[in-house]
Amino acid sequence: MALFFYHERRKSVATWTYAEGEAKRKDFMVFWVTDGNASTIKKDTIEIIGKGVEDMPISMNPETEESQDVLGNNNYDITGYAESMTVDPTNISGENKYSQKIDTLMEERATLSDLRLKYLCVKRYKTDSTGKMRAWVQDGVVELGDFAGGLKGVSATHTVHYVGDRTLGAVDPSTMTFTADSAEPASLSE
C-alpha cells in the first residue's frame, strides 16, 4: 500500500507598512529591465522611466461579465484585468536607453515578440521590516503610438500592455536588487 502526502505550497507572508502621509507620484516607480532577465535584476540592469513623461497611469481595464438570472436579478462579475500603462510623452534622448529602445522599435516598425519588454514596478511608500520596498516584475507588450508630436522635441508616445503573471517581491533600496516572494512548503501538521 502506497501513501501519498499532499504538500501545499504557501507564499511567505511579509508584513508591509505604509509610509505616513499621502504617497507622492514619485513614490511609485517603473523601470525597464534592460537585459530582460528577471532572475538577476539589480541596479545596473534597470533604467527608470519617467524623465520628461507628463502622464504615466496604469489602467486596470477590468474584464467583466454581465448576466441576468430567471428571477430578474442582475449579476456583474469582474473576471480579470488587462492592465496597460500609457507613457506620454517619451522624449528621445542620447542619455536615456529606454527612449532609444522605443525609438528603435518605431524605426524598425517592430511586431510580435520584438515588442515584448520586461518591467519592474516599485512602491517606495510600502516597505517591509528590513526596509525593502514592495515590487513586482511583469512582461509588457509595447503598442507604439504617435511619433514626433508637438514642438518640444522628438517624442514617442506608447502604451505598455502588461501580459502574463506578475512576479511579486521586494527591492532593496540600496542595491535595487529584486527578490521574488518565496514559496515554502507547508508542514504536515497544518
Side-chain angles (χ1 to χ4, degrees):
M1 177 169 125
L3 293 173
F4 295 97
F5 292 97
Y6 173 72
H7 292 277
E8 180 181 335
R9 291 190 144 311
R10 296 183 189 210
K11 294 180 181 173
S12 63
V13 180
T15 302
W16 298 99
T17 304
Y18 286 84
E20 292 292 321
E22 294 179 3
K24 296 175 178 58
R25 179 57 183 89
K26 68 181 183 177
D27 292 331
F28 177 72
M29 303 172 294
V30 179
F31 297 85
W32 169 47
V33 181
T34 58
D35 65 359
N37 186 350
S39 63
T40 57
I41 295 174
K42 51 189 183 279
K43 195 178 285 190
D44 63 344
T45 62
I46 59 174
E47 182 174 274
I48 195 163
I49 301 169
K51 184 160 177 65
V53 175
E54 297 169 8
D55 199 23
M56 200 168 82
I58 294 180
S59 301
M60 294 302 291
N61 304 319
E63 296 172 358
T64 62
E65 285 183 4
E66 294 181 59
S67 63
Q68 191 174 58
D69 64 24
V70 295
L71 300 175
N73 298 311
N74 292 323
N75 300 302
Y76 187 87
D77 292 310
I78 295 178
T79 59
Y81 296 93
E83 297 116 314
S84 63
M85 176 179 70
T86 302
V87 185
D88 184 23
T90 300
N91 295 318
I92 308 304
S93 164
E95 293 77 42
N96 185 297
K97 291 178 190 172
Y98 184 72
S99 73
Q100 294 168 24
K101 178 68 172 179
I102 298 300
D103 184 59
T104 301
L105 292 174
M106 278 235 189
E107 190 175 281
E108 295 174 351
R109 300 169 93 191
T111 59
L112 303 172
S113 62
D114 292 338
L115 293 167
R116 195 175 187 117
L117 303 177
K118 195 163 296 293
Y119 295 88
L120 169 66
C121 300
V122 180
K123 296 179 173 182
R124 287 184 3 176
Y125 58 86
K126 188 174 182 180
T127 57
D128 67 10
S129 60
T130 66
K132 290 182 180 172
M133 303 173 290
R134 189 60 162 156
W136 69 87
V137 175
Q138 191 167 7
D139 283 352
V141 175
V142 176
E143 176 187 346
L144 301 169
D146 294 337
F147 180 74
L151 300 174
K152 294 182 180 179
V154 177
S155 64
T157 300
H158 62 284
T159 300
V160 175
H161 297 276
Y162 289 106
V163 295
D165 291 329
R166 287 179 174 178
T167 300
L168 291 169
V171 168
D172 182 322
S174 61
T175 63
M176 293 305 290
T177 301
F178 175 79
T179 305
D181 288 349
S182 64
E184 299 174 353
S187 72
L188 293 175
S189 61
E190 292 183 310

